[in-house]
Amino acid sequence: MAEQDRPQIYLLTPPEIDLGSFPAQLDRVLQGVPVACLRLALATRDEDRLIRATDAVREVAHAADVALVIDTHVVLAERLGLDGVHLPDGARSVRAARKALGADAIVGAFCGQSRHDGMNAGEAGADYVAFGPVAGALGDGALAERDLFEWWSEMIEVPVVAEGGLTPDAVRALAPVTDFIAVGEEIWRNDDPLAALRALVDAMG
C-alpha cells in the first residue's frame, strides 16, 4: 500500500500515566512515527490529575505539531485550550460539544458497532466516527467487522477510525478501508512502545 494511501495513526495515551516518565516516552514515539492526533484517554475522573496530565502531554504533543483531544471532558477541552474532544457516547453529545467548542474544534464520536449511530454522529457534526473493538473479547464480545468499515468508506465522507484490540493481522485487514488506526495500550504495554507502533505501521503494507 502506498504511503499516502495508508491510514494515519491516532495515538491514545495509556489509562494511567507516570508524569515523571511518560512525557519523554511519548516524545520518543511522536518523533519516531508520524502521528495525526493524540487522545488523552485517562481512566481517572480526578480533575486535578487530569489537568496536570494534560499540561504535561500538551507540551509534548504541540512541540511535535500533533493535535491533542481529551476523552469525554468537553469543559476541560474548552478551559485548557485543547484541540477538541472525543465523545464515547455516539451521537448523543456531538451537537452540544460542537456548540461549546466552536466550529474549528475536533469533535469525534465512538459509535461501537452501530452504522446508525455513526451516521447520526456525522449528521450532528462529528469530524470523525470511531468503530470498535475490532478484535478481542471485551464488553459483550461484539466486534466492529471489516465490512462495516468497508461500507462506511465507500458510502460516507466522514473519516472513520478503527480502535480496540488492534493486532498486526487486524491492521493489515483494515488498512484499505479505514482512515485512521487508533492505537493505545496495544503499544504502551510493550517495553519498547515505538517498536510496537512501527510493527503495526509495517503491517499496513
Side-chain angles (χ1 to χ4, degrees):
M1 178 177 287
E3 190 167 340
Q4 65 269 25
D5 296 328
R6 286 179 173 179
Q8 296 183 75
I9 297 297
Y10 179 163
L11 192 63
L12 282 60
T13 67
E16 299 281 342
I17 63 175
D18 179 345
L19 293 182
S21 60
F22 181 71
Q25 191 179 42
L26 174 64
D27 183 61
R28 181 169 180 268
V29 170
L30 295 184
Q31 298 302 324
V33 171
V35 171
C37 186
L38 175 66
R39 184 197 310 168
L40 193 68
L42 300 186
T44 183
R45 292 296 181 263
D46 181 278
E47 184 177 335
D48 181 60
R49 289 179 68 190
L50 281 167
I51 290 171
R52 285 189 289 115
T54 300
D55 287 343
V57 168
R58 177 178 52 203
E59 186 173 338
V60 177
H62 285 178
D65 199 26
V66 175
L68 177 63
V69 303
I70 192 169
D71 205 318
T72 307
H73 305 291
V74 176
V75 172
L76 286 182
E78 183 177 24
R79 188 194 308 168
L80 300 176
L82 303 185
D83 297 293
V85 66
H86 174 84
L87 303 169
D89 58 351
R92 285 189 284 279
S93 307
V94 171
R95 291 189 195 282
R98 175 64 68 202
K99 184 176 180 181
L101 299 176
D104 294 334
I106 299 168
V107 176
F110 178 74
C111 297
Q113 304 84 40
S114 175
R115 180 187 299 186
H116 179 72
D117 280 358
M119 292 172 66
N120 285 343
E123 289 170 2
D127 292 295
Y128 68 81
V129 165
F131 294 119
V134 298
L138 298 178
D140 62 2
L143 298 176
E145 304 287 353
R146 187 185 189 279
D147 59 1
L148 170 60
F149 292 94
E150 188 170 21
W151 177 88
W152 186 276
S153 296
E154 289 176 357
M155 303 299 293
I156 310 293
E157 291 186 4
V158 177
V160 63
V161 180
E163 70 172 80
L166 284 157
T167 62
D169 284 346
V171 168
R172 193 172 295 111
L174 290 167
V177 293
T178 190
D179 299 294
F180 296 90
I181 297 286
V183 181
E185 289 183 271
E186 294 96 336
I187 69 163
W188 300 119
R189 60 177 172 242
N190 286 270
D191 291 337
D192 188 343
L194 177 56
L197 181 55
R198 282 177 170 156
L200 290 176
V201 171
D202 289 344
M204 295 180 194

